[in-house]
Amino acid sequence: MAFVSMTNMLTQAKHDHYAVAQFNINGLLWIQAILETAEQQKTPIIVAVSDRMVEYLGGFECIYQMVLTTQKKLKITVPVALHLDHGATVEHCLQAIDAGFSSVMFDGSHSPIIENIKNTKVVCDYAKNKGVSVEAEVGTVGGNEDGLIGGINYADFDECIKLVEETKVNALAAALGSVHGKYSGSGPKLGFKEMERLNNHLTIPLVLHGASGIPVEQLKKCIQLGHAKINFNTELVTTWADSVRKTIQENPQVCEPRLIMLPAKQALIEKMTNIIQIIGSANRI
Ligand code: 13P
C-alpha cells in the first residue's frame, strides 16, 4: 500500500475520540520500529521527518524510498502517512510533496498571521490537487521548535478561525501551552478552556505538539477536546539514548552497531506500544 494522507485517519479518529500518533524518525531503525509497532497494534500511523533532519537522513527522495521499501518489505497493511514535520518554508513543503510525501506541515507560526495564512494557502493549493494533507500552526509551542527556540505563545482564537477558513487546511496545531522537549517545574499548563472554544468552532482536527511528558489524563482530555493527532519525539529519543547508554555501560567491549541498536529498537517498540494504547488508536484497523 502506498502512503495515504492524514485526512481520513484523523477524521475517523476525531469522530471516535481517539488520536493517531505521529512519531519522528531518526534513521532506518526508527522506520522499522514504527512500522512494526503500527502493524502489531493495528493502528493508522504518521511517520514524520522534522525539517531539520531531512538533509541528515539523505534528502526527501531518499527518505521516501527508505520508508516505502521498508513498508513493502515488512508487508505493512495499516494506513501510513509520510509527513514533513515543521516544514520551515513553502519550498520545502513543495519539495516533500514532489518527492512523494503524503502529508506536510507548513509552520508559519513565527511569522505575522497574514504571512502565515498567505504561505499556508500556497501549500494547501499545491497539496490539494495531489491528495496530500496539510497541517498549519498558529501560536508557538515552547522550547526548541525545530531549531527555533522560544517561549510559549498561546494561539489567538480569531487568527485560528481566519487561517482555517482562508486556507482550508486539513489539521491545525493551535499552540496552547505545550512545549517541545522536557517540561520544567510543575509541568504543562495547557489552555483547556481555549481548546474547548476552538473545538466548538472548528470541524477540522486539532494537533498536539510537544506531547512528551504530558500526563496521561491531560492527553485524554486533549483528545476529548478535538485533538486527533498527537506528536511524540522527546520520549522516543530519550528511550533510545537510555538503551544505548545501558548497553555500552554493561558491555564495554561491544562495538558492533547491530548489537547496540537492536535493544534500542526493542525499547522504542515498547515505548510506542504504550503510547498507542494510551491515545486509544490500537485495534482501529
Ligand atoms: P516532543 O519532542 O516534545 O515529544 O514533541 C514532538 C513534536 O511535537 C514534534 O513536532
Side-chain angles (χ1 to χ4, degrees), residues 22 24 50 85-86 105 141 179-183 208-212 231-235:
Q22 171 188 304
N24 289 39
S50 301
D85 189 29
H86 291 287
M105 172 190 190
V141 176
V179 165
H180 285 126
K182 294 195 169 157
Y183 286 86
L208 181 64
H209 282 250
S212 297
N231 297 0
F232 295 88
N233 184 41
T234 301
E235 283 187 21

Side-chain angles (χ1 to χ4, degrees), residues 206-228:
L206 296 173
V207 178
L208 181 64
H209 282 250
S212 297
I214 296 182
V216 170
E217 284 321 308
Q218 295 192 31
L219 286 178
K220 291 189 171 167
K221 197 164 173 186
C222 291
I223 295 171
Q224 291 312 315
L225 296 175
H227 285 84

Side-chain angles (χ1 to χ4, degrees), residues 6 124 141 145 174 249:
M6 303 193 302
C124 286
V141 176
E145 192 162 34
Q249 272 164 9

Side-chain angles (χ1 to χ4, degrees), residues 216-282:
V216 170
E217 284 321 308
Q218 295 192 31
L219 286 178
K220 291 189 171 167
K221 197 164 173 186
C222 291
I223 295 171
Q224 291 312 315
L225 296 175
H227 285 84
K229 171 176 182 274
I230 306 193
N231 297 0
F232 295 88
N233 184 41
T234 301
E235 283 187 21
L236 303 189
V237 292
T238 51
T239 297
W240 176 85
D242 288 347
S243 169
V244 168
R245 258 191 296 271
K246 182 168 177 284
T247 303
I248 293 175
Q249 272 164 9
E250 288 176 358
N251 312 277
Q253 306 303 326
V254 73
C255 52
E256 186 173 328
R258 186 176 55 95
L259 300 177
I260 301 169
M261 300 305 271
L262 285 180
K265 179 183 172 192
Q266 190 51 38
L268 281 176
I269 289 176
E270 284 162 23
K271 172 55 88 179
M272 290 187 288
T273 299
N274 182 247
I275 289 172
I276 285 166
Q277 291 178 356
I278 287 170
I279 66 177
S281 75

